[in-house]
Amino acid sequence: MKLTLKIWRQNGANDKGKIVDYPVSDVSEDMSFLEMLDVLNDDLVRKGEDPIAFDHDCREGICGMCSLFINGEAHGPGRGITTCQLHMRKFKDGDASYVEPWRSAAFPVIKDLATNRSAFDRIQAAGGFVSVNTSGNLVDGNAVPIPKDDADKAFDAATCIGCGACVATCPNGSAMLFTAAKVSQLALLPQGRPEAKRRALAMVEQMDKEGFGNCSNTGACEVECPKGISLEHIARLNREYLAATVTKE
């Protein structure tokens, strides 16, 4: 099939940027969207033109790197998938598609479709972990009894891959769903409770420092999340944060 791609080109965070049209032909419906961009880039290189920069790594829906906004949807049409899992059979011959980077002040454009999402790393580093005694007296994690319901909810939260689709989709550029998943994952497990108050306060403080907006209660983040992270985790983050605020020393 033949497609027209309208792709955002931008040389760095301070460049104005613009949409550039690229016709693409001989696109197989079995290609992934990223493989189709690979073919386009091969053509551009052969012509001596600058290839389009975009993020990718595992291409198995695990790493969360393939951050593309396609026709106004994070990771493109379809639910529960990342861009690397999006196949060209979702498109029709003659379609024109807009391809843009994540839009958020906290995710500055590095080049073209690649954005700097290290703000997520700094939120995680602020408290999204459990301090472990590594002196040689570790207790087997499986020896700690955990209710099945809590274990299931903690696992659901842990499936967040930090792709940033929630931020890109939110009209307010909020990182609440990402931060909530990281807080919720540990808040539900006994290993995470000793540091729960400090964790909630520190991660929310870092989230605000990074310039993300507040939760706008539209629920778009849950809809566009490729891992189906529930808004229930935002409610848990709010409870954890409130409890930490009123009882902090």
Side-chain angles (χ1 to χ4, degrees), residues 131-138:
S131 299
V132 178
N133 179 0
T134 58
S135 63
N137 298 316
L138 296 176

Side-chain angles (χ1 to χ4, degrees), residues 113-150:
L113 304 174
T115 57
N116 184 346
R117 286 170 284 167
S118 58
F120 269 10
D121 297 333
R122 291 188 288 273
I123 293 174
Q124 182 78 20
F129 52 85
V130 174
S131 299
V132 178
N133 179 0
T134 58
S135 63
N137 298 316
L138 296 176
V139 177
D140 190 331
N142 292 330
V144 180
I146 301 171
K148 179 68 165 54
D149 187 51
D150 287 349

Side-chain angles (χ1 to χ4, degrees), residues 62-127:
I62 299 171
C63 73
M65 288 295 291
C66 50
S67 51
L68 297 182
F69 215 71
I70 304 168
N71 292 334
E73 295 182 89
H75 296 297
R79 294 290 174 266
I81 58 173
T82 53
T83 304
C84 64
Q85 298 171 303
L86 174 65
H87 286 86
M88 298 312 298
R89 64 181 68 98
K90 289 283 186 178
F91 301 85
K92 297 177 181 176
D93 185 45
D95 276 357
S97 297
Y98 284 84
V99 187
E100 301 170 81
W102 285 167
R103 299 293 188 186
S104 169
F107 289 164
V109 171
I110 298 172
K111 185 178 180 182
D112 300 335
L113 304 174
T115 57
N116 184 346
R117 286 170 284 167
S118 58
F120 269 10
D121 297 333
R122 291 188 288 273
I123 293 174
Q124 182 78 20

Side-chain angles (χ1 to χ4, degrees), residues 25-245:
S25 57
D26 297 327
V27 176
S28 166
E29 65 176 15
D30 295 324
M31 285 180 176
S32 73
F33 200 88
L34 298 189
E35 288 169 339
M36 184 270 298
L37 289 179
D38 290 338
V39 172
L40 172 59
N41 272 346
D42 284 344
D43 289 341
L44 293 176
V45 170
R46 277 195 288 269
K47 294 175 183 174
E49 298 180 25
D50 190 24
I52 300 154
F54 63 95
D55 280 325
H56 60 96
D57 194 359
C58 76
R59 300 200 177 199
E60 295 180 340
I62 299 171
C63 73
M65 288 295 291
C66 50
S67 51
L68 297 182
F69 215 71
I70 304 168
N71 292 334
E73 295 182 89
H75 296 297
R79 294 290 174 266
I81 58 173
T82 53
T83 304
C84 64
Q85 298 171 303
L86 174 65
H87 286 86
M88 298 312 298
R89 64 181 68 98
K90 289 283 186 178
F91 301 85
K92 297 177 181 176
D93 185 45
D95 276 357
S97 297
Y98 284 84
V99 187
E100 301 170 81
W102 285 167
R103 299 293 188 186
S104 169
F107 289 164
V109 171
I110 298 172
K111 185 178 180 182
D112 300 335
L113 304 174
T115 57
N116 184 346
R117 286 170 284 167
S118 58
F120 269 10
D121 297 333
R122 291 188 288 273
I123 293 174
Q124 182 78 20
F129 52 85
V130 174
S131 299
V132 178
N133 179 0
T134 58
S135 63
N137 298 316
L138 296 176
V139 177
D140 190 331
N142 292 330
V144 180
I146 301 171
K148 179 68 165 54
D149 187 51
D150 287 349
D152 288 345
K153 290 177 180 176
F155 181 82
D156 288 343
T159 60
C160 170
I161 56 177
C163 65
C166 51
V167 174
T169 301
C170 177
N172 209 23
S174 172
M176 281 290 283
L177 194 64
F178 166 79
T179 306
K182 302 305 178 185
V183 167
S184 193
Q185 172 191 349
L186 298 173
L188 287 160
L189 301 175
Q191 296 92 334
R193 292 313 304 172
E195 299 167 297
K197 293 180 182 177
R198 184 170 54 184
R199 175 180 305 111
L201 293 171
M203 294 185 74
V204 170
E205 180 182 7
Q206 188 64 39
M207 178 180 69
D208 291 340
K209 282 182 180 176
E210 298 293 345
F212 292 105
N214 294 319
C215 178
S216 53
N217 294 315
T218 59
C221 54
E222 180 185 73
V223 174
E224 297 284 2
C225 174
K227 299 301 177 184
I229 304 297
S230 170
L231 292 176
E232 173 187 325
H233 296 297
I234 292 181
R236 181 170 293 102
L237 169 61
N238 287 334
R239 293 196 295 272
E240 291 286 323
Y241 183 76
L242 177 61
T245 302

